[in-house]
Amino acid sequence: MTAVLVTKDAKYYAYYNVFLTWSLIMHRGYEFYMKGWHFYMVDFCYLVNFIVACHVVVFPKSEIMFFAGFALSLGPIFNSVSYYRNTLAFHSTEKTTSLFIHSSPPLTMFLIHWHDRSNHFASSNMGIQEYGPIFLAKWYGSVIALYGAWVVCYYIVLFKILRGHIVKNNYDTLYDHAMADSRTSRELRSRGEKWTKFMFIWVHFRYVLQFITMTQIFYYFYWVGLVWVIYNHALGIYFGATYYINYHSERYEKNLFSMGRMKEKAKEKTN
């Protein structure tokens, strides 16, 4: 179905994306709650999925929603496919959901921008805007307005209001994950333990700013954006293939080991 809808008018895949991703997200909400991971559900990727869904369903003519959805989805969210090794593993709803919420919204916004034949969305109505101060104000202003509101709410709720509750119940959050990850914890602790939460917000903002700047290339150059879309989707498939190869090879080795042990025990009994 995905392959068929991608070749049609952009609005068909856009609505399909809303239905698909939010069905997976609602299932994930229950799945994560049972594991004590439910505070991951307020993370940045869900904000971007919410922005894209609002643009498609509620505000299709909004420039603010378009610029924010396009910049955030094809930039920082899409790059997460490689950073977090999002995997197409159909037996695992957790892995499949992680891949789809990071790869389907970027594809949606790419199609909205370049393949909106019915002029349903703001992008086709306003056309490709000339690069300059007005465009940059809309581009960065849209992102900062929506991203900034999320950052303030995230910091107040998770670091001030609910932090004691989270620590007491040993719940996990992206901040705790980052602190435990050797790739990020050193930088978060670079200013001392007191400033780790501020550093977490700063590192995240810097990451977002870098990638929304890069994403302007995809706004102006169709073929560059298409290569980026294909590359990240192919990466998810590749990670899925290597996951299954490693999974089955490990099972095969375990079976050989267990068979070897059984033969040794049989020999011991005969002796």
Side-chain angles (χ1 to χ4, degrees), residues 1 7 10 30-31 35 45 76 84-85 99 108 134 138-139 145 156 159 166 172-173 190 192 220 228 234 243 258 266:
M1 180 180 289
T7 62
Y30 169 77
E31 194 174 38
K35 295 180 179 180
C45 57
Y84 290 110
R85 294 184 64 87
L99 177 62
T108 299
I134 296 176
K138 290 180 180 180
W139 186 270
I156 292 174
F159 291 156
I166 292 170
D172 203 11
T173 67
S190 61
Y220 285 105
W228 180 239
Y243 171 81
S258 61

Side-chain angles (χ1 to χ4, degrees), residues 61-174:
K61 304 298 184 183
S62 170
E63 288 189 12
I64 292 176
M65 300 300 286
F66 166 75
F67 280 125
F70 188 91
L72 292 172
S73 63
L74 273 99
I77 287 297
F78 225 1
N79 184 65
S80 296
V81 172
S82 59
Y83 186 83
Y84 290 110
R85 294 184 64 87
N86 293 153
T87 301
L88 184 61
F90 291 109
H91 77 284
S92 171
T93 56
E94 181 183 333
K95 291 183 182 296
T96 303
T97 300
S98 293
L99 177 62
F100 272 83
I101 63 176
H102 290 102
S103 63
S104 189
L107 176 58
T108 299
M109 295 307 301
F110 178 82
L111 293 173
I112 285 174
H113 182 49
W114 292 109
H115 293 280
D116 182 20
R117 303 187 187 106
S118 60
N119 297 325
H120 183 71
F121 296 99
S123 177
S124 59
N125 291 321
M126 64 187 179
I128 305 295
Q129 299 196 6
E130 182 180 354
Y131 191 82
I134 296 176
F135 168 78
L136 292 174
K138 290 180 180 180
W139 186 270
Y140 289 104
S142 300
V143 170
I144 291 173
L146 297 175
Y147 175 77
W150 170 81
V151 165
V152 171
C153 293
Y154 187 95
Y155 185 86
I156 292 174
V157 174
L158 262 66
F159 291 156
K160 295 298 182 182
I161 299 175
L162 295 178
R163 188 61 191 168
H165 173 72
I166 292 170
V167 173
K168 179 181 177 181
N169 292 279
N170 199 30
Y171 291 137
D172 203 11
T173 67
L174 185 60

Side-chain angles (χ1 to χ4, degrees), residues 254-270:
K254 288 180 180 178
N255 288 335
L256 288 178
F257 179 76
S258 61
M259 289 175 61
R261 292 288 296 173
M262 290 174 63
K263 288 180 179 180
E264 289 179 2
K265 289 180 179 179
K267 288 181 179 179
E268 292 175 358
K269 289 181 178 178
T270 56

